[in-house]
Amino acid sequence: MQFGITSFSDNGFAAFEQFIDSEGLAQLRKSYDYLLTHGAKDPRSDDRLLGGLTRQIMGPEFSLPFFADNAALEAGFEIAREMCGWDRPIKTFSMLIYKPPGHPHETPWHQDASYAVEPVTPAGIKIGKRTLQFWVAVDDADIKNGCMHFHPNTSDKTLAHYVSSGSTTEQSRLLAIENLAEHVTEAGITPMPLKAGGATVHHEGTPHFTPPNHSDRPRRAYIFNITNDRSPTQTRRESR
């Protein structure tokens, strides 16, 4: 593990060199590629272009049961218990984001909390840090093909964002931080290259970004959010 629990507490992000083993990775790749090839057939799985630019499959578990229960999710639950002390972690949503070789589009710097309100969460809203987002590398991910980049958040509130791509009325819109240089400095940026099977984790207030894929390799990412179930009647397995 690198950039572990201490990094998460101090900066709002962490990375794990080996999040799933080779068998779990092979199963993830097989299921991921099946959906890329055949598409998401269930209407609850939204197979779309993020910002009109980058392929994104929301709710892959509705089209393929593998994504409802797999080694990556179990690893995420275990880390949530250890890192946050959550006794009943649950998955709230998941998605696949695919950047093929030569994909020219970045995912702009943003906070996940900015997506909570459509079209954009207002600036200055206090961030509760109640959600963990895991970004699992299905391929080796580096700067050239679009690995995650993080910046410590110096505020516990939402920053001002704008719709950088896509329609303001679409859930698939892309958001970006306004006046970026005021909030993200070159010295503060931490790229997080990963081998396939590694993962990063961050909370909803952490600014992050992925560059275009300038390589001849694909960059597949499996992403899911975990929070703590506070319902007295709902079990973890029933909720996912």
Side-chain angles (χ1 to χ4, degrees):
M1 180 172 67
Q2 59 181 353
F3 293 101
I5 293 175
T6 300
S7 174
F8 185 84
S9 177
D10 294 342
N11 301 310
F13 59 87
F16 303 89
E17 291 180 353
Q18 184 177 4
F19 193 66
I20 53 176
D21 61 20
S22 58
E23 180 180 354
L25 177 61
Q27 293 172 342
L28 175 57
R29 284 174 165 170
K30 180 180 179 180
S31 298
Y32 199 115
D33 287 345
Y34 180 88
L35 286 185
L36 285 184
T37 301
H38 298 281
K41 303 302 183 183
D42 191 297
R44 293 172 295 177
S45 295
D46 193 358
D47 195 341
R48 65 197 190 187
L49 293 179
L50 179 60
L53 303 172
T54 303
R55 190 169 180 191
Q56 177 190 47
I57 300 177
M58 298 292 292
E61 64 271 20
F62 296 117
S63 289
L64 205 60
F66 170 85
F67 290 102
D69 189 3
N70 57 67
L73 285 174
E74 289 301 328
F77 293 141
E78 186 59 34
I79 289 168
R81 294 185 192 100
E82 178 183 358
M83 195 159 60
C84 301
W86 294 347
D87 57 347
R88 298 174 67 177
I90 58 170
K91 175 177 69 66
T92 55
F93 93 102
S94 65
M95 62 180 172
L96 314 179
I97 296 185
Y98 176 58
K99 292 189 176 183
H103 187 67
H105 303 294
E106 67 179 29
T107 302
W109 282 100
H110 67 282
Q111 297 168 298
D112 291 335
S114 66
Y115 283 94
V117 176
E118 294 183 10
V120 178
T121 303
I125 302 297
K126 187 172 179 61
I127 297 172
K129 300 180 182 178
R130 294 184 295 267
T131 300
L132 300 177
Q133 183 174 103
F134 290 88
W135 192 98
V136 184
V138 185
D139 304 291
D140 291 351
D142 52 37
I143 293 173
K144 190 173 183 180
N145 76 339
C147 69
M148 288 284 275
H149 291 57
F150 294 101
H151 193 282
N153 190 13
T154 57
S155 171
D156 62 353
K157 298 179 180 179
T158 53
L159 305 175
H161 287 68
Y162 66 97
V163 178
S164 65
S165 183
S167 169
T168 58
T169 61
E170 294 177 349
Q171 290 188 344
S172 60
R173 69 201 183 284
L174 265 179
L175 302 183
I177 296 172
E178 289 186 0
N179 304 314
L180 184 63
E182 297 180 9
H183 306 289
V184 174
T185 65
E186 185 174 353
I189 295 172
T190 301
M192 287 287 194
L194 295 168
K195 292 293 185 181
T200 62
V201 61
H202 63 276
H203 65 67
E204 59 263 45
T206 306
H208 56 286
F209 154 88
T210 62
N213 184 353
H214 289 310
S215 77
D216 58 0
R217 298 169 284 122
R219 198 230 64 185
R220 294 169 290 180
Y222 171 40
I223 299 163
F224 54 87
N225 280 13
I226 287 178
T227 190
N228 194 33
D229 180 17
R230 293 177 173 83
S231 167
T233 59
Q234 185 180 42
T235 66
R236 191 186 76 189
R237 185 162 295 277
E238 287 169 345
S239 66
R240 45 177 213 216

